[in-house]
């Protein structure tokens, strides 16, 4: 649980944040052309596979810069790959830079007439750079187009991916979840499994099926069944006395996700944005209805705003709006003051942080809110400012480069309500 979650636990706002045990799914659609790819001349480490997934997901959800590069802070990359508890930045940097030198053969299980020259062999990340605490990378245009709108894909859950500690488990898991809806993978020669699913897995060491099974497959299956939301079962097919073909049975563990009745219609709207149904139900079980409704409304308004560029991924935008609480200000499940009270009243109702009476209690709350804000990291501070600005409908009260006294008071009033609610007098004691 992060710092802010600990500080507000027990407050009315604490229920808005999933607890650590309720970590929400972090899903994205990974094209099978990349899932079914094989690095030539190299075997990817588990860290390199996690980095590649983090970069591809980030590229899907965020536009590249004007120079054609994507970037993210090294700190965020550590979090995305589950490497946050380690301070071995050198290993992370070396793993990232090595990806630039690896050529992949893509879509190796596709029929010959469905494969194109541009997908047969190519560098996935043709540019990688490190600068001032940021990692930057480039992706070829033809690969990027496929990443954005894959025809066939595996639904990759990054929160599960972070748990894996071996490359074999991560590779096999990605291969198997691609076939989740079918209940079993395609049947293939065991040598093909070794070479195309497990990156070759050391052909010299695993020239015999029994050795491959004992040293690579059995531990990988055990890790998948222990760490993921799936159970994987190996099926062997014999030709005479020897194992010739293999297959895997894929079963999702029962999760008993309960969606509140009042959130069922919201789930349908979330799915229409492109969020997978499984993830939509999970989000509806974790977040309160007002928070879901606010994020949906915010995203749908953005979709219909003809003055801005169209959203490339409404699903990703919705996830971001839900995570940061964009558009959320009080219990918006009930209608807000609108035309019936006049435009001035409606604007006041939307003012999420207007200065209130400057009595001693309000001043004390602002002082405590300021102390909380000062303890946050630069990234968390920026997230709070973005969230406040998204909810603040009065332009003159939004946080900008130059902050007026009135804006400071409005921001700290809003932050105090976020942390302790409207009437949490015990915080003053």
């Amino acid at each position: 649980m992060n710092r802010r979650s600990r500080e507000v636990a027990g407050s009315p706002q604490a229920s808005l944040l999933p607890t650590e045990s309720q970590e929400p799914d972090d899903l994205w659609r990974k094209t099978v052309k990349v899932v079914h790819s094989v690095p030539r001349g190299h075997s990817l480490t588990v860290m390199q596979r996690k980095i590649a997934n983090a970069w591809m997901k980030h590229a899907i959800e965020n536009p590249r810069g004007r120079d054609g590069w994507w970037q993210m802070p090294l700190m965020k990359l550590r979090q995305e790959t589950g490497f946050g508890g380690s301070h071995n930045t050198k290993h992370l940097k070396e793993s990232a830079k090595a990806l630039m030198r690896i050529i992949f053969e893509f879509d190796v299980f596709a029929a010959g007439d469905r494969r194109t020259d541009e997908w047969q062999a190519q560098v996935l990340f043709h540019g990688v750079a490190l600068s001032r605490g940021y990692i930057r990378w480039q992706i070829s245009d033809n690969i990027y187009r496929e990443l954005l709108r894959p025809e066939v894909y595996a639904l990759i859950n990054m929160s599960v991916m972070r748990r894996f500690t071996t490359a074999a488990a991560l590779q096999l898991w990605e291969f198997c979840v691609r076939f989740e809806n079918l209940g079993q993978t395609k049947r293939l020669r065991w040598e093909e499994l070794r070479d195309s699913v497990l990156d070759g897995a050391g052909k010299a060491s695993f020239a015999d099926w029994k050795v491959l099974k004992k040293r690579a497959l059995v531990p990988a299956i055990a890790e998948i069944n222990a760490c993921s939301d799936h159970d994987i079962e190996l099926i062997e097919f014999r030709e005479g006395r020897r194992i010739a073909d293999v297959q895997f049975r894929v079963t999702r563990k029962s999760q008993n996700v309960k969606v509140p009745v009042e959130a069922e219609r919201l789930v349908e709207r979330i799915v229409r944005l492109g969020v997978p149904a499984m993830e939509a139900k999970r989000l509806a079980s974790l977040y309160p209805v007002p928070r879901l409704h606010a994020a949906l409304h915010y995203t749908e308004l953005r979709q219909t705003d003809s003055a801005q560029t169209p959203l490339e991924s409404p699903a990703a935008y919705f996830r971001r709006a839900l995570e940061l609480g964009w558009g959320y200000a009080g219990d918006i499940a009930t209608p807000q003051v609108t035309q019936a009270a006049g435009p001035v009243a409606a604007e006041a109702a939307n003012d999420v942080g207007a200065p209130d009476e400057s009595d001693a209690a309000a001043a004390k709350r602002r002082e405590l809110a300021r102390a909380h804000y000062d303890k946050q990291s630069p990234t968390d501070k920026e997230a709070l400012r973005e969230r406040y600005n998204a909810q603040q409908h009065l332009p003159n009260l939004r946080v900008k480069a130059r902050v007026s006294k009135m804006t400071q008071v409005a921001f700290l009033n809003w932050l105090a309500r976020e942390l302790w609610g409207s009437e949490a007098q015990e915080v003053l004691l």
Side-chain angles (χ1 to χ4, degrees):
M1 187 182 297
N2 60 34
R3 180 188 298 168
R4 182 178 185 277
S5 300
R6 290 196 300 269
E7 293 187 6
V8 301
S11 75
Q13 297 297 325
S15 62
L16 302 183
L17 301 172
T19 64
E20 186 172 353
S21 62
Q22 293 177 307
E23 182 184 3
D25 291 335
D26 188 5
L27 298 163
W28 67 289
R29 298 174 178 180
K30 184 175 182 178
T31 172
V32 296
K33 293 181 178 180
V34 177
V35 174
H36 297 165
S37 65
V38 179
R40 293 307 181 193
H42 297 80
S43 289
L44 293 186
T45 66
V46 64
M47 178 55 64
Q48 287 171 336
R49 285 192 169 272
K50 289 180 177 181
I51 291 173
N53 279 343
W55 285 354
M56 287 185 283
K57 180 176 183 290
H58 184 88
I60 292 171
E61 298 179 351
N62 299 274
R64 65 184 119 189
R66 293 181 180 179
D67 57 359
W69 291 69
W70 284 271
Q71 70 173 24
M72 72 165 61
L74 270 175
M75 179 63 71
K76 182 177 181 182
L77 182 61
R78 289 168 59 177
Q79 296 169 350
E80 290 291 315
T81 57
F83 200 62
S86 172
H87 297 286
N88 188 0
T89 307
K90 180 180 179 181
H91 173 58
L92 189 70
K93 292 178 179 179
E94 290 177 349
S95 297
K97 288 191 291 186
L99 285 171
M100 185 174 58
R101 301 189 294 268
I102 297 177
I103 296 175
F104 290 81
E105 183 177 348
F106 294 97
D107 208 9
V108 294
F109 293 125
D113 58 348
R114 286 204 299 113
R115 301 188 68 187
T116 59
D117 291 339
E118 64 183 8
W119 278 102
Q120 287 184 8
Q122 194 170 346
V123 174
L124 181 55
F125 305 104
H126 64 271
V128 176
L130 293 160
S131 175
R132 297 180 181 178
Y134 280 81
I135 187 81
R136 306 174 70 239
W137 68 94
Q138 289 180 309
I139 301 175
S140 299
D141 287 343
N142 64 309
I143 297 178
Y144 177 57
R145 287 193 298 269
E146 177 63 25
L147 290 178
L148 279 178
R149 297 176 180 84
E151 295 181 6
V152 185
Y153 57 86
L155 200 58
I156 302 300
N157 190 341
M158 297 290 283
S159 65
V160 172
M161 181 209 73
R162 297 181 193 109
R163 304 170 195 164
F164 290 114
T165 60
T166 64
L170 178 52
Q171 292 162 244
L172 182 60
W173 173 73
E174 288 194 5
F175 173 74
C176 288
V177 296
R178 150 77 178 88
F179 298 94
E180 177 185 339
N181 292 335
L182 300 177
Q184 60 186 20
T185 68
K186 64 179 296 182
R187 179 171 167 174
L188 65 166
R189 308 292 287 186
W190 76 262
E191 296 89 351
E192 191 176 14
L193 170 73
R194 177 194 64 195
D195 299 342
S196 299
V197 177
L198 301 178
D199 281 6
K203 291 186 181 180
S205 302
F206 298 121
D208 182 78
W209 162 250
K210 291 182 179 179
V211 177
L212 177 68
K213 177 181 176 181
K214 179 180 179 180
R215 292 177 53 188
L217 276 182
V218 170
I221 293 172
E223 186 174 356
I224 291 171
N225 292 345
C227 297
S228 78
D229 298 330
H230 298 83
D231 284 320
I232 307 299
E233 179 185 351
L234 172 65
I235 306 171
E236 300 171 300
F237 298 91
R238 294 181 177 272
E239 286 182 0
R241 301 182 62 180
R242 63 180 292 272
I243 300 298
D245 293 355
V246 294
Q247 192 175 37
F248 297 91
R249 185 172 290 116
V250 186
T251 308
R252 171 167 284 277
K253 297 173 183 175
S254 58
Q255 295 179 317
N256 298 322
V257 176
K258 295 182 180 180
V259 177
V261 175
E262 59 271 24
E264 290 178 353
R265 291 188 178 181
L266 297 183
V267 169
E268 297 176 4
R269 289 167 59 191
I270 295 171
V271 171
R272 284 199 293 270
L273 293 175
V275 177
M278 177 183 67
E279 181 185 2
K281 292 178 181 178
R282 178 72 181 273
L283 293 173
S285 71
L286 292 179
Y287 289 94
V289 170
R291 179 79 167 255
L292 291 166
H293 189 283
L296 265 171
H297 184 63
Y298 196 91
T299 304
E300 290 167 348
L301 285 177
R302 174 63 178 81
Q303 273 189 300
T304 57
D305 188 350
S306 58
Q308 300 192 56
T309 57
L311 292 176
E312 288 190 344
S313 177
Y317 191 89
F318 168 76
R319 294 187 189 99
R320 185 72 170 165
L322 184 61
E323 176 187 357
L324 297 180
W326 292 348
Y328 183 82
D331 185 4
I332 62 171
T334 56
Q336 294 190 7
V337 180
T338 53
Q339 296 178 356
V344 175
E347 186 176 49
N350 285 328
D351 176 7
V352 302
D356 55 8
E357 60 277 6
S358 55
D359 56 16
K364 180 64 175 177
R365 282 165 59 88
R366 287 194 293 271
E367 180 182 338
L368 294 174
R370 162 67 77 179
H372 169 85
Y373 178 79
D374 289 341
K375 294 178 183 177
Q376 305 305 303
S377 67
T379 301
D380 290 340
K381 287 180 179 178
E382 182 180 359
L384 286 171
R385 292 193 298 268
E386 289 180 356
R387 184 175 169 188
Y388 165 79
N389 285 342
Q391 298 178 26
Q392 178 55 263
H393 292 266
L394 298 180
N396 63 320
L397 291 182
R398 291 177 185 149
V399 176
K400 301 173 185 176
R402 296 176 62 87
V403 180
S404 67
K405 179 64 176 178
M406 182 177 292
T407 299
Q408 284 188 34
V409 172
F411 174 77
L412 293 174
N413 283 344
W414 169 84
L415 182 57
R417 286 199 296 270
E418 288 290 294
L419 293 172
W420 305 297
S422 299
E423 300 178 357
Q425 296 297 325
E426 64 273 10
V427 74
L428 306 177
L429 302 178

